[in-house]
Amino acid sequence: MRIAPQVKAAAACLCLGLIFSIGSVEAQENAQLNIPPSLIECYNTSYFMNRDNRLPANMDTLISLVEKVELSYAATGYQMDIRQISVALLHRFRQDGIRRAAGVTPIDGVIPFSPTGFQFPKLRILLSRLLPGNANNFPNSSLTSTERCSLHFMMSSTFDTRLRGDENTVCGQLSQYRAQRLPRSPKKDSSNFLGDAEWVDERSTKRQRSGSNYVLGELDYDNDWGYAVPEGNSQCPVEDGVVRTPWGTVSAGALIAGVATGLQQQTVSLNTLLSLATQRRGRTQSQTIGSSVDNRWAATLGGDLAEVTLVQVPVTPNNVASVGATGGWNDTVLPHWYFLSQRNNLEATDAEIRGGLDGLIIAKNVAQWKTQASGMKLSQLLRMYYSTTGVLGTGIQACSRQQLFPVVAPTQEMQSQVSAFAQVLDREMQLRVTLNPQTIANFANTATLSLVTYVPQSLNDVSCSASTNQDLTDIITPMTNLYIFLDTSWQYSSIVDYVAYILQQLNIHPYASSVTMLSAFDGSVIVNTTNYVTDVYQQWNVTTQAQYNQGFNLPTVLRTIQNLTQTLLNGEQTNSSVGGRSLVALILPNQATVNDGDSNYATTELQYIYEQIPDLRFVYYGGGNIQRFSNFVRDSTRDLFSLTPGNTVATSAGPVAKRIIKIPRRIINPRCGSAWYTNSWGTDQMYQYVRPGTVNFYRMASNYFFGAGTNRVVTIQSQNGGSFTVCSSRTNEWPQQNSTTSSQTGTGTATDSNCVQISGNSYSYDLSSACNGYYTITQCPPLYLSVQPGAINTTSCTQDACQTPDQWRYMVSSSNMGCYSGVSGLAASLLTILLALLLQQSVQ
């Protein structure tokens, strides 16, 4: 069919009109030539200029902040899918190329920052023409100012090239690393250079967060930055807009842009884009026939290579291209400063290459993934991609980026996209040279071939090869209620990394684990119970810790945890909750000892706690001789850990985290409450979720099935037709079928397990006579269960509690359970505790 010229002209006008409308000022404030009002709060105070006052720049932080935004949208009634949230995040928080104006004194009304870096024009084109959207309905109140500004700095690419005064130390460490680059594997945190050259500060000089006692509008930038040296360029500048992951540091802005463009993909004629650019810059348009710009490329690798094409190649000897710039973090647990190993040729750093490649991989697959899991969230996608299992069973994950590079980025396609976008970018940048289209195309080919060589040969990334000796904790998804009791006589800077490392392993997220931090001296709350690890970073810092009395009082700790857990039990009784999380008290004493009076009291109190709160596990992680607490734990061989500041964090804190992870989730009779009494019988249930390749472990204390009873059963019910393997044991804490893990230690052996397959039906364990022949509750062993999914799942997990859409849902129920306390006479027990308390006071 022949199309009339008038129709063609009308269509062209309509297309151009749409692109003009996309670039409207109202909807694209981050594309303007100054810092928008929504980001001013991050620059009108010195507080956020000190990177240590921002949240740690790692993937777990990014996912936590995204989850807060997702849940806030849902709570306010907005139906925002993964595409809309990705676009909104970019338009709300990303503005690349923000630099400080040298020599400008900040005064009221003058903020010495603006987007003058070479990264800004690329973002401007993306937001105004290739990725339409806005953040008009963004739930700003869902995030604190610290969270908002941290998210901005994590998503916005720029460099700080000023001299800091620490170059002799920092740059020297990085240069040593560059000379000794070796292949790496995940979870090997035993050297100073980790991830992609993460460099650990000396503990004595570790920077500290100062808390939130600052005044907005105070324009005293330099005091908190540590730039008390003359103007000049650092040999190892700082890169912003990056986040640390176990598979290398990535550019978060390019990553999320890949998600957004993959779900809002558009290909725009090069002539159309050049026409718009010509009107804005007044240059003569050259004719380019048949070329077009794919926004997925422009937002990821193509955009960075276009910067190499225009900014770097024309001014280098022989017009060669140099891509890649390694870097190192100041801290592997709480990363805030990312130092680059070079100060030239920074147009495509390692972090930008990884982020761009990850973004492109996701962009070319996410539409298909969304057909498999229509309700997939951004936080879920990030959690799957940056994991050892990958996205929806495809095997696509961060550690496979180098293998996927030639698949998603064929050389010819990359050259075409880089050349096309570079011509558009040329119209928006103020370059040192003037280039013609053919030269731009040649330089684009040079930049592309440089990357084609660099990624397989020089990008120092972790491979996907799995360890043959997998640890049990690698296949457990932690779900715990954690109570931390901190002796504040510990110096904050010496203890923070060890505590943070543990928390980062425990899945502190909504519908997963929770954490509460309290003073080990008087039980005061330092961090309120939360499902966000970012709340811990904000509520606990060097300033807030100084507000609490120092010391360690074991009787107070025990009374406090008893009250907290009894409140938890009563809440579960109200909500008919069957548990689903382990219950752990992590105690961090410094050098304090326990006197005889406190010891006698604690021994008696612990007997009461063990019998009234049978699922509570105490873990000590402290200074000095940790064996002094051996009488205050259930198993001194597994629950005591020494903490010596200065030791490698992963080596010291890793075993503590693994111990907590391996404590089974609880299955309880919620009708008991803390009083251990019920006059009602029936069935209570909860829904649980498990990812392919993982196992959930459970424990039901004998308190719930001791004594006479009938029809007492625990049931695992398959949901949505999924198939599961359910294993049970009375002695093995971690019953599994065909276990290949290395942690079958503790009570029982693998041979004590009995496993069955269920598919669309249920498995029940009858506990009606499970304690026959035992005279006391403590003699009767608990019930241990495990649930692991089958090999294939065709359903998508859509409930709010799904951490990933490939999780399998099943139901755990307990029926007709009893309520038996091991205390023979509550009044007598209370009298014993009162006598112990009097003895304690008399000794003091």
Side-chain angles (χ1 to χ4, degrees):
M1 186 178 92
R2 184 186 178 96
I3 300 176
Q6 295 88 342
V7 176
K8 291 183 178 180
C13 290
L14 177 60
C15 180
L16 192 58
L18 286 173
I19 291 187
F20 271 120
S21 68
I22 290 171
S24 63
V25 173
E26 179 180 356
Q28 316 296 341
E29 65 173 15
N30 286 21
Q32 304 311 305
L33 298 175
N34 50 26
I35 296 177
S38 60
L39 297 178
I40 285 292
E41 65 177 335
C42 306
Y43 293 91
N44 67 356
T45 170
S46 63
Y47 184 74
F48 295 119
M49 295 300 99
N50 180 359
R51 288 169 175 79
D52 294 294
N53 288 331
R54 306 170 191 171
L55 297 176
N58 55 38
M59 184 54 64
D60 195 48
T61 298
L62 180 61
I63 291 174
S64 290
L65 296 179
V66 170
E67 283 180 320
K68 277 194 173 184
V69 173
E70 291 169 338
L71 290 174
S72 181
Y73 269 124
T76 54
Y78 286 103
Q79 299 298 318
M80 300 285 283
D81 63 13
I82 180 175
R83 177 191 65 82
Q84 293 168 310
I85 286 181
S86 300
V87 171
L89 286 171
L90 291 167
H91 283 270
R92 172 62 179 85
F93 292 107
R94 186 178 177 187
Q95 189 176 52
D96 294 345
I98 296 178
R99 303 287 301 274
R100 177 166 179 170
V104 175
T105 301
I107 60 174
D108 188 25
V110 177
I111 295 176
F113 291 89
S114 66
T116 58
F118 69 83
Q119 303 97 329
F120 177 69
K122 175 185 68 178
L123 177 71
R124 189 180 190 189
I125 296 170
L126 180 67
L127 295 184
S128 62
R129 292 170 232 173
L130 296 176
L131 190 61
N134 60 68
N136 293 341
N137 296 319
F138 190 86
N140 289 297
S141 61
S142 65
L143 303 176
T144 65
S145 60
T146 297
E147 291 169 335
R148 292 193 296 269
C149 290
S150 297
L151 195 50
H152 160 62
F153 288 116
M154 281 191 284
M155 292 182 59
S156 303
S157 296
T158 191
F159 304 107
D160 191 338
T161 59
R162 293 177 296 159
L163 282 171
R164 299 179 303 275
D166 61 1
E167 279 75 10
N168 287 340
T169 301
V170 175
C171 302
Q173 292 273 359
L174 290 169
S175 64
Q176 291 174 28
Y177 169 75
R178 293 192 72 193
Q180 301 176 15
R181 293 185 67 179
L182 298 171
R184 299 168 294 113
S185 60
K187 298 189 178 182
K188 300 295 184 183
D189 290 357
S190 58
S191 65
N192 281 347
F193 289 98
L194 308 162
D196 52 332
E198 286 85 348
W199 170 73
V200 184
D201 272 339
E202 294 296 328
R203 293 284 167 224
S204 59
T205 59
K206 180 177 173 62
R207 299 177 175 92
Q208 300 180 6
R209 296 191 68 240
S210 59
S212 56
N213 53 340
Y214 68 97
V215 179
L216 287 173
E218 288 186 354
L219 300 176
D220 180 19
Y221 293 95
D222 288 322
N223 286 348
D224 281 337
W225 275 65
Y227 293 99
V229 293
E231 289 285 347
N233 289 332
S234 174
Q235 293 289 334
C236 48
V238 177
E239 183 175 10
D240 276 326
V242 296
V243 298
R244 183 179 186 266
T245 83
W247 295 274
T249 296
V250 301
S251 168
L255 171 66
I256 294 178
V259 178
T261 54
L263 293 168
Q264 193 168 301
Q265 194 269 334
Q266 61 174 328
T267 301
V268 183
S269 164
L270 177 56
N271 281 334
T272 301
L273 292 173
L274 290 177
S275 296
L276 182 57
T278 299
Q279 292 183 16
R280 294 191 172 186
R281 291 289 300 271
R283 294 185 182 180
T284 302
Q285 179 184 352
S286 60
Q287 292 297 317
T288 57
I289 301 174
S291 297
S292 60
V293 173
D294 185 334
N295 66 343
R296 298 174 301 178
W297 276 98
T300 57
L301 282 182
D304 290 328
L305 289 178
E307 291 172 340
V308 175
T309 299
L310 300 176
V311 179
Q312 181 193 126
V313 177
V315 298
T316 57
N318 301 318
N319 301 126
V320 298
S322 175
V323 300
T326 60
W329 289 101
N330 69 307
D331 191 291
T332 59
V333 180
L334 300 173
H336 291 97
W337 300 71
Y338 187 67
F339 305 103
L340 291 170
S341 58
Q342 61 196 61
R343 61 177 179 176
N344 298 317
N345 299 332
L346 302 180
E347 292 76 21
T349 65
D350 278 18
E352 289 177 320
I353 293 171
R354 289 193 194 93
L357 180 50
D358 288 354
L360 185 62
I361 292 169
I362 291 174
K364 289 197 171 186
N365 289 279
V366 67
Q368 174 61 33
W369 294 336
K370 200 167 186 301
T371 63
Q372 296 175 245
S374 59
M376 181 172 59
K377 302 174 185 177
L378 177 59
S379 60
Q380 294 176 328
L381 174 57
L382 296 177
R383 181 175 285 117
M384 288 188 292
Y385 186 80
Y386 293 97
S387 74
T388 57
T389 52
V391 181
L392 298 177
T394 61
I396 297 176
Q397 57 205 101
C399 61
S400 65
R401 65 168 70 96
Q402 286 173 295
Q403 289 71 39
L404 292 171
F405 174 57
V407 177
V408 300
T411 302
Q412 186 174 354
E413 180 185 354
M414 183 158 43
Q415 288 175 330
S416 173
Q417 285 297 315
V418 173
S419 176
F421 186 69
Q423 294 190 54
V424 178
L425 187 59
D426 174 55
R427 304 299 179 90
E428 299 288 342
M429 297 187 77
Q430 184 64 57
L431 301 175
R432 295 165 57 188
V433 297
T434 300
L435 304 171
N436 64 47
Q438 185 57 52
T439 301
I440 291 176
N442 293 338
F443 288 171
N445 290 345
T446 300
T448 298
L449 293 176
S450 179
L451 185 70
V452 169
T453 301
Y454 187 83
V455 169
Q457 296 182 7
S458 302
L459 196 62
N460 188 34
D461 281 352
V462 173
S463 69
C464 292
S465 56
S467 170
T468 56
N469 189 26
Q470 191 178 39
D471 189 87
L472 180 66
T473 56
D474 295 330
I475 62 171
I476 297 176
T477 301
M479 293 277 278
T480 185
N481 295 121
L482 178 68
Y483 298 91
I484 298 176
F485 288 87
L486 175 67
D487 181 348
T488 58
S489 66
W490 284 108
Q491 186 178 357
Y492 173 81
S493 61
S494 68
I495 194 76
V496 60
D497 274 12
Y498 299 93
V499 176
Y501 182 91
I502 293 170
L503 295 180
Q504 290 170 8
Q505 316 306 310
L506 296 183
N507 193 25
I508 311 293
H509 288 282
Y511 305 102
S513 297
S514 70
V515 59
T516 311
M517 181 179 287
L518 309 103
S519 164
F521 178 75
D522 57 14
S524 300
V525 176
I526 300 175
V527 177
N528 292 310
T529 301
T530 180
N531 296 106
Y532 295 99
V533 71
T534 53
D535 290 343
V536 179
Y537 301 144
Q538 294 175 86
Q539 295 177 35
W540 176 45
N541 52 56
V542 67
T543 303
T544 57
Q545 179 167 316
Q547 300 170 4
Y548 296 90
N549 293 325
Q550 297 182 1
F552 176 74
N553 188 311
L554 183 56
T556 299
V557 168
L558 297 180
R559 285 192 293 267
T560 303
I561 191 61
Q562 178 184 334
N563 292 335
L564 289 170
T565 51
Q566 287 182 337
T567 300
L568 177 67
L569 290 173
N570 291 333
E572 291 172 331
Q573 183 181 42
T574 301
N575 299 324
S576 299
S577 171
V578 187
R581 293 172 176 83
S582 61
L583 194 56
V584 181
L586 175 62
I587 303 173
L588 289 89
N590 192 347
Q591 301 295 323
T593 58
V594 182
N595 63 42
D596 290 342
D598 286 353
S599 179
N600 292 332
Y601 173 86
T603 300
T604 305
E605 177 74 359
L606 280 170
Q607 181 183 359
Y608 179 84
I609 290 174
Y610 291 158
E611 294 167 338
Q612 296 293 107
I613 314 169
D615 293 305
L616 177 60
R617 177 72 68 167
F618 290 90
V619 177
Y620 285 79
Y621 184 35
N625 181 8
I626 196 65
Q627 291 301 319
R628 68 188 186 277
F629 298 105
S630 60
N631 292 330
F632 310 122
V633 293
R634 294 179 187 267
D635 187 341
S636 62
T637 64
R638 296 193 293 166
D639 297 334
L640 299 178
F641 301 89
S642 294
L643 172 54
T644 304
N647 286 352
T648 303
V649 174
T651 302
S652 175
V656 183
K658 289 185 176 185
R659 175 67 188 117
I660 295 172
I661 292 171
K662 288 163 63 176
I663 296 173
R665 306 181 187 189
R666 297 178 299 140
I667 300 177
I668 67 170
N669 176 10
R671 299 166 190 250
C672 299
S674 64
W676 286 93
Y677 172 78
T678 183
N679 57 6
S680 66
W681 311 96
T683 300
D684 300 285
Q685 63 191 39
M686 64 179 173
Y687 290 105
Q688 294 279 276
Y689 305 85
V690 60
R691 282 196 75 184
T694 66
V695 185
N696 291 343
F697 295 99
Y698 299 90
R699 176 183 184 271
M700 178 172 246
S702 55
N703 300 61
Y704 300 110
F705 51 84
F706 189 78
T710 57
N711 297 321
R712 287 180 176 167
V713 294
V714 173
T715 302
I716 308 296
Q717 173 69 56
S718 170
Q719 301 286 296
N720 305 116
S723 62
F724 299 86
T725 299
V726 182
C727 298
S728 61
S729 177
R730 298 295 299 280
T731 57
N732 180 13
E733 287 184 275
W734 311 292
Q736 292 182 75
Q737 185 177 50
N738 301 325
S739 172
T740 59
T741 60
S742 61
S743 294
Q744 287 291 348
T745 58
T747 58
T749 65
T751 57
D752 297 328
S753 304
N754 178 51
C755 299
V756 298
Q757 307 286 329
I758 62 172
S759 179
N761 56 343
S762 63
Y763 164 83
S764 295
Y765 193 103
D766 193 332
L767 293 162
S768 301
S769 57
C771 287
N772 283 0
Y774 297 101
Y775 296 100
T776 65
I777 293 176
T778 55
Q779 291 176 340
C780 181
L783 170 66
Y784 297 106
L785 293 172
S786 72
V787 179
Q788 58 190 106
I792 300 175
N793 182 17
T794 58
T795 62
S796 175
C797 193
T798 59
Q799 288 76 23
D800 289 339
C802 304
Q803 289 198 294
T804 57
D806 60 352
Q807 283 187 316
W808 296 33
R809 185 179 188 228
Y810 58 94
M811 185 173 66
V812 179
S813 62
S814 62
S815 301
N816 302 313
M817 295 296 167
C819 301
Y820 299 92
S821 167
V823 178
S824 56
L826 182 59
S829 177
L830 291 174
L831 178 60
T832 303
I833 292 177
L834 289 174
L835 291 174
L837 181 60
L838 292 174
L839 177 61
Q840 170 200 2
Q841 293 175 341
S842 67
V843 172
Q844 294 175 341

PDB file of all heavy atoms in Angstrom, residues 825-838:
ATOM      1  N   GLY A 825       5.463 -25.574  88.753  1.00  0.00           N
ATOM      2  CA  GLY A 825       4.908 -24.626  89.710  1.00  0.00           C
ATOM      3  C   GLY A 825       5.472 -23.249  89.462  1.00  0.00           C
ATOM      4  O   GLY A 825       6.592 -22.947  89.844  1.00  0.00           O
ATOM      5  N   LEU A 826       4.695 -22.406  88.800  1.00  0.00           N
ATOM      6  CA  LEU A 826       5.184 -21.079  88.432  1.00  0.00           C
ATOM      7  C   LEU A 826       5.485 -20.254  89.671  1.00  0.00           C
ATOM      8  O   LEU A 826       6.461 -19.523  89.730  1.00  0.00           O
ATOM      9  CB  LEU A 826       4.132 -20.381  87.561  1.00  0.00           C
ATOM     10  CG  LEU A 826       4.497 -19.002  87.038  1.00  0.00           C
ATOM     11  CD1 LEU A 826       5.766 -19.069  86.199  1.00  0.00           C
ATOM     12  CD2 LEU A 826       3.336 -18.417  86.220  1.00  0.00           C
ATOM     13  N   ALA A 827       4.668 -20.376  90.702  1.00  0.00           N
ATOM     14  CA  ALA A 827       4.884 -19.578  91.902  1.00  0.00           C
ATOM     15  C   ALA A 827       6.217 -19.935  92.554  1.00  0.00           C
ATOM     16  O   ALA A 827       6.973 -19.072  92.995  1.00  0.00           O
ATOM     17  CB  ALA A 827       3.736 -19.785  92.881  1.00  0.00           C
ATOM     18  N   ALA A 828       6.518 -21.246  92.624  1.00  0.00           N
ATOM     19  CA  ALA A 828       7.780 -21.660  93.231  1.00  0.00           C
ATOM     20  C   ALA A 828       8.956 -21.131  92.429  1.00  0.00           C
ATOM     21  O   ALA A 828       9.974 -20.721  92.983  1.00  0.00           O
ATOM     22  CB  ALA A 828       7.829 -23.187  93.311  1.00  0.00           C
ATOM     23  N   SER A 829       8.812 -21.130  91.108  1.00  0.00           N
ATOM     24  CA  SER A 829       9.897 -20.633  90.266  1.00  0.00           C
ATOM     25  C   SER A 829      10.114 -19.151  90.493  1.00  0.00           C
ATOM     26  O   SER A 829      11.237 -18.674  90.597  1.00  0.00           O
ATOM     27  CB  SER A 829       9.592 -20.905  88.786  1.00  0.00           C
ATOM     28  OG  SER A 829      10.593 -20.370  87.974  1.00  0.00           O
ATOM     29  N   LEU A 830       9.013 -18.408  90.571  1.00  0.00           N
ATOM     30  CA  LEU A 830       9.133 -16.967  90.801  1.00  0.00           C
ATOM     31  C   LEU A 830       9.779 -16.699  92.154  1.00  0.00           C
ATOM     32  O   LEU A 830      10.595 -15.784  92.301  1.00  0.00           O
ATOM     33  CB  LEU A 830       7.750 -16.316  90.724  1.00  0.00           C
ATOM     34  CG  LEU A 830       7.103 -16.281  89.324  1.00  0.00           C
ATOM     35  CD1 LEU A 830       5.674 -15.756  89.424  1.00  0.00           C
ATOM     36  CD2 LEU A 830       7.935 -15.409  88.388  1.00  0.00           C
ATOM     37  N   LEU A 831       9.432 -17.505  93.160  1.00  0.00           N
ATOM     38  CA  LEU A 831      10.031 -17.343  94.481  1.00  0.00           C
ATOM     39  C   LEU A 831      11.536 -17.585  94.413  1.00  0.00           C
ATOM     40  O   LEU A 831      12.327 -16.855  95.025  1.00  0.00           O
ATOM     41  CB  LEU A 831       9.369 -18.297  95.473  1.00  0.00           C
ATOM     42  CG  LEU A 831       9.933 -18.270  96.907  1.00  0.00           C
ATOM     43  CD1 LEU A 831       9.772 -16.870  97.503  1.00  0.00           C
ATOM     44  CD2 LEU A 831       9.232 -19.316  97.761  1.00  0.00           C
ATOM     45  N   THR A 832      11.931 -18.594  93.652  1.00  0.00           N
ATOM     46  CA  THR A 832      13.359 -18.884  93.497  1.00  0.00           C
ATOM     47  C   THR A 832      14.092 -17.701  92.881  1.00  0.00           C
ATOM     48  O   THR A 832      15.190 -17.327  93.308  1.00  0.00           O
ATOM     49  CB  THR A 832      13.547 -20.138  92.622  1.00  0.00           C
ATOM     50  OG1 THR A 832      12.840 -21.227  93.216  1.00  0.00           O
ATOM     51  CG2 THR A 832      15.019 -20.493  92.496  1.00  0.00           C
ATOM     52  N   ILE A 833      13.484 -17.098  91.850  1.00  0.00           N
ATOM     53  CA  ILE A 833      14.119 -15.956  91.185  1.00  0.00           C
ATOM     54  C   ILE A 833      14.211 -14.768  92.134  1.00  0.00           C
ATOM     55  O   ILE A 833      15.215 -14.059  92.178  1.00  0.00           O
ATOM     56  CB  ILE A 833      13.339 -15.587  89.902  1.00  0.00           C
ATOM     57  CG1 ILE A 833      13.509 -16.705  88.879  1.00  0.00           C
ATOM     58  CG2 ILE A 833      13.796 -14.266  89.330  1.00  0.00           C
ATOM     59  CD1 ILE A 833      12.731 -16.481  87.601  1.00  0.00           C
ATOM     60  N   LEU A 834      13.158 -14.559  92.940  1.00  0.00           N
ATOM     61  CA  LEU A 834      13.200 -13.447  93.896  1.00  0.00           C
ATOM     62  C   LEU A 834      14.303 -13.653  94.923  1.00  0.00           C
ATOM     63  O   LEU A 834      15.020 -12.710  95.293  1.00  0.00           O
ATOM     64  CB  LEU A 834      11.839 -13.321  94.585  1.00  0.00           C
ATOM     65  CG  LEU A 834      10.695 -12.782  93.703  1.00  0.00           C
ATOM     66  CD1 LEU A 834       9.372 -12.835  94.459  1.00  0.00           C
ATOM     67  CD2 LEU A 834      11.000 -11.356  93.259  1.00  0.00           C
ATOM     68  N   LEU A 835      14.471 -14.895  95.398  1.00  0.00           N
ATOM     69  CA  LEU A 835      15.549 -15.172  96.343  1.00  0.00           C
ATOM     70  C   LEU A 835      16.908 -14.931  95.704  1.00  0.00           C
ATOM     71  O   LEU A 835      17.826 -14.398  96.340  1.00  0.00           O
ATOM     72  CB  LEU A 835      15.427 -16.621  96.842  1.00  0.00           C
ATOM     73  CG  LEU A 835      14.223 -16.931  97.739  1.00  0.00           C
ATOM     74  CD1 LEU A 835      14.150 -18.426  98.048  1.00  0.00           C
ATOM     75  CD2 LEU A 835      14.320 -16.119  99.040  1.00  0.00           C
ATOM     76  N   ALA A 836      17.044 -15.318  94.444  1.00  0.00           N
ATOM     77  CA  ALA A 836      18.304 -15.081  93.741  1.00  0.00           C
ATOM     78  C   ALA A 836      18.570 -13.597  93.589  1.00  0.00           C
ATOM     79  O   ALA A 836      19.709 -13.130  93.695  1.00  0.00           O
ATOM     80  CB  ALA A 836      18.276 -15.766  92.371  1.00  0.00           C
ATOM     81  N   LEU A 837      17.504 -12.823  93.343  1.00  0.00           N
ATOM     82  CA  LEU A 837      17.662 -11.385  93.210  1.00  0.00           C
ATOM     83  C   LEU A 837      18.115 -10.764  94.519  1.00  0.00           C
ATOM     84  O   LEU A 837      18.991  -9.891  94.545  1.00  0.00           O
ATOM     85  CB  LEU A 837      16.342 -10.772  92.746  1.00  0.00           C
ATOM     86  CG  LEU A 837      16.338  -9.249  92.541  1.00  0.00           C
ATOM     87  CD1 LEU A 837      17.368  -8.848  91.487  1.00  0.00           C
ATOM     88  CD2 LEU A 837      14.949  -8.773  92.124  1.00  0.00           C
ATOM     89  N   LEU A 838      17.533 -11.226  95.635  1.00  0.00           N
ATOM     90  CA  LEU A 838      17.959 -10.726  96.942  1.00  0.00           C
ATOM     91  C   LEU A 838      19.417 -11.080  97.211  1.00  0.00           C
ATOM     92  O   LEU A 838      20.183 -10.272  97.740  1.00  0.00           O
ATOM     93  CB  LEU A 838      17.055 -11.307  98.041  1.00  0.00           C
ATOM     94  CG  LEU A 838      15.600 -10.818  98.045  1.00  0.00           C
ATOM     95  CD1 LEU A 838      14.782 -11.587  99.095  1.00  0.00           C
ATOM     96  CD2 LEU A 838      15.557  -9.311  98.343  1.00  0.00           C
TER      97      LEU A 838
END
